[in-house]
Amino acid sequence: MFSNISQRGYHGVLPYALTTCIAAAATGLSAFILFAISPQVVSAAPPNVTDTINPPESATPTNQDDLNTSKESSPVNAQQKNSGPLSSTSHHSTAHRTTVPSESVDHQNTSSSTLSSSANGWSNFGNIETERWYANGTMVTSQEFTDPATGQRYYANTDGSIAHDVDMQLPSNGTTITVRFAHDGHLVTGMDCKDGAWYFFNLEDGSMAYGERYINYDKEHTGWYYFDPYTGKMAHGMTHLQSNGGKWVYYDATTGIMAHGERYINYDKEHTGWYYFDPYTGKMAHGNVYIPHWGKWCWTGADGKLQGDTPGKIGWQNPAAFYQVSSKNVNKVGQGMFSYIQPSRLSVDGSRVDAINIFVNTALSYLGSPYKWNYALWPGGGSDCAGLVISSMESVGMQTPYNAYDHRFQAWQDHDANNMWNDPRIMKVAVADRRRGDLVFYPGHVAIYLGNNTIINAYPPHVEYDSIWRWPVRGIGRLFI
């Protein structure tokens, strides 16, 4: 009577039929016969080969096929329970799949390569050893396929068995890609954890990611990552990359996302503290760095750790008895136009040669500026001989008693050329020992030596080149020792 009902349809009908039989015993055989030929029972038919079988939650498995699809024993559900929080791979339910009708399968020969020509879908789904996929009655082998009911992709090996828990290399668009098939056999995409390491698989073709990679995966996992170029493992912690001329970067110990900006890291004994990483490239800062969020310059050591506010100078420096150079600006004096200072252009680790070059180039920027007595303003704004030297000294961070404001308004600075000649913090050397960047003193006048017996000085009507011998030389002063 029930020969044309599928196995899973049969389990739903039988208990109801037995109950009716008992009622028939009390009301008469004719009532049972009427029920047996009732249209609602006769109409139960095998599901179409493309139908989705959706068993009731209360259905009790009674044979091996049902056991294989029960929630308690399904390897799919076991995989779902163990999947990591970052995993994007969706695990298909055994209750929603394309299956081959049971009567089409030879259960005594699970390796049979052909079935009915209309058979499409899974045979023995959920049993890793015996499950197979059929297309038009032929077992699929040595190729990838998609279950249309779930959209999940799988791979059938040469013997028709389904690939499980394996990384494989497959051809794709003229090249070879590495893909991964999960415990239940589906193609992994997105983030995936295996043996304690995280990987990323392209959302389109499932290919494993390598090297530097920007991923816009979800709200929590968007940013730059690095995956080992050979194994594909996601990097964590301090990592050296060859890009941007070589750089140290930091990948978050948990998420693997590259750090940018200021960041406190408690990574290991050697790498605990504040660091700063370029907001665009992620490159760890070394030396002098401006941190916008803090609004100040800071100094980082050789290990990249922030040491606090940037010192004015490290490395080469004048002896303590002479004026010190600095990467920081000199103090501003007074208000208004005569409070002007030249900003320091010297790097915190600049050399003596760097300082001399900046000093001379600042003076050269005033060529043609008008001569104005007791002025020490910006290029083009006016300067006298001592004012030109004051501005040039400020450009290397030399904090001196000379400044534009006092030079203009304090009587004792009316003759700063003579004050500088008498200043013990400017070393005096023989004329024969003169070098580029030295000061050349004359009675009541001062100039800057450029070499080849040439000076630059402010002399009416403007700042100009002159010969060192234009006036009798009083002596040579050296600012850079």
Side-chain angles (χ1 to χ4, degrees), residues 285-410:
H286 292 89
N288 198 25
V289 58
Y290 182 76
I291 301 181
H293 184 69
W294 295 351
K296 63 180 181 180
W297 287 88
C298 293
W299 178 253
T300 61
D303 60 358
K305 291 182 186 177
L306 288 168
Q307 307 295 318
D309 291 356
T310 301
K313 189 69 177 66
I314 64 168
W316 171 82
Q317 180 61 278
N318 277 330
F322 303 97
Y323 287 119
Q324 304 289 286
V325 298
S326 176
S327 63
K328 295 185 176 182
N329 295 339
V330 300
N331 298 328
K332 183 178 290 189
V333 179
Q335 298 292 328
M337 61 183 291
F338 290 100
S339 67
Y340 173 78
I341 61 171
Q342 272 279 347
S344 176
R345 297 175 177 81
L346 183 64
S347 65
V348 70
D349 55 352
S351 67
R352 178 178 178 275
V353 172
D354 293 335
I356 292 173
N357 287 336
I358 292 169
F359 177 79
V360 169
N361 288 335
T362 300
L364 293 175
S365 71
Y366 281 81
L367 277 171
S369 294
Y371 175 90
K372 292 186 178 182
W373 186 63
N374 279 4
Y375 272 43
L377 300 183
W378 51 89
S383 181
D384 66 4
C385 65
L388 180 64
V389 174
I390 290 171
S391 295
S392 299
M393 292 172 73
E394 289 174 347
S395 71
V396 291
M398 282 187 173
Q399 187 70 55
T400 73
Y402 317 112
N403 59 80
Y405 191 84
D406 289 337
H407 188 53
R408 175 62 178 169
F409 298 111
Q410 295 294 331

Side-chain angles (χ1 to χ4, degrees), residues 69 129 258 264 279 378:
T69 57
E129 300 297 327
M258 178 189 283
Y264 184 82
W378 51 89

Side-chain angles (χ1 to χ4, degrees), residues 69 78 102 117 127 140 184 203 249 275 279 328 337 378 395 402 444:
T69 57
S102 177
S117 62
N127 187 319
V140 173
D184 66 354
L203 301 179
V249 299
Y275 293 79
K328 295 185 176 182
M337 61 183 291
W378 51 89
S395 71
Y402 317 112

Side-chain angles (χ1 to χ4, degrees), residues 44-175:
N48 187 275
V49 292
T50 60
D51 284 347
T52 296
I53 301 175
N54 191 5
E57 291 295 324
S58 60
T60 303
T62 59
N63 59 30
Q64 184 59 45
D65 283 345
D66 290 329
L67 286 172
N68 287 339
T69 57
S70 71
K71 289 187 175 182
E72 293 299 321
S73 63
S74 171
V76 179
N77 287 292
Q79 178 73 2
Q80 287 174 315
K81 293 177 183 178
N82 296 328
S83 63
L86 303 183
S87 177
S88 70
T89 54
S90 58
H91 303 285
H92 62 271
S93 169
T94 58
H96 300 278
R97 54 185 172 84
T98 304
T99 56
V100 174
S102 177
E103 61 268 27
S104 301
V105 180
D106 180 0
H107 293 285
Q108 302 301 315
N109 182 17
T110 58
S111 62
S112 175
S113 61
T114 58
L115 297 175
S116 166
S117 62
S118 63
N120 291 280
W122 291 103
S123 168
N124 294 336
F125 181 84
N127 187 319
I128 293 178
E129 300 297 327
T130 62
E131 64 182 358
R132 300 291 187 272
W133 179 264
Y134 287 84
N136 298 322
T138 301
M139 182 172 65
V140 173
T141 61
S142 302
Q143 63 179 286
E144 199 174 341
F145 64 89
T146 300
D147 184 341
T150 64
Q152 294 286 2
R153 287 174 286 180
Y154 302 81
Y155 187 82
N157 296 313
T158 55
D159 61 355
S161 61
I162 307 303
H164 295 272
D165 287 322
V166 65
D167 291 357
M168 301 178 64
Q169 289 191 325
L170 298 178
S172 176
N173 298 322
T175 186

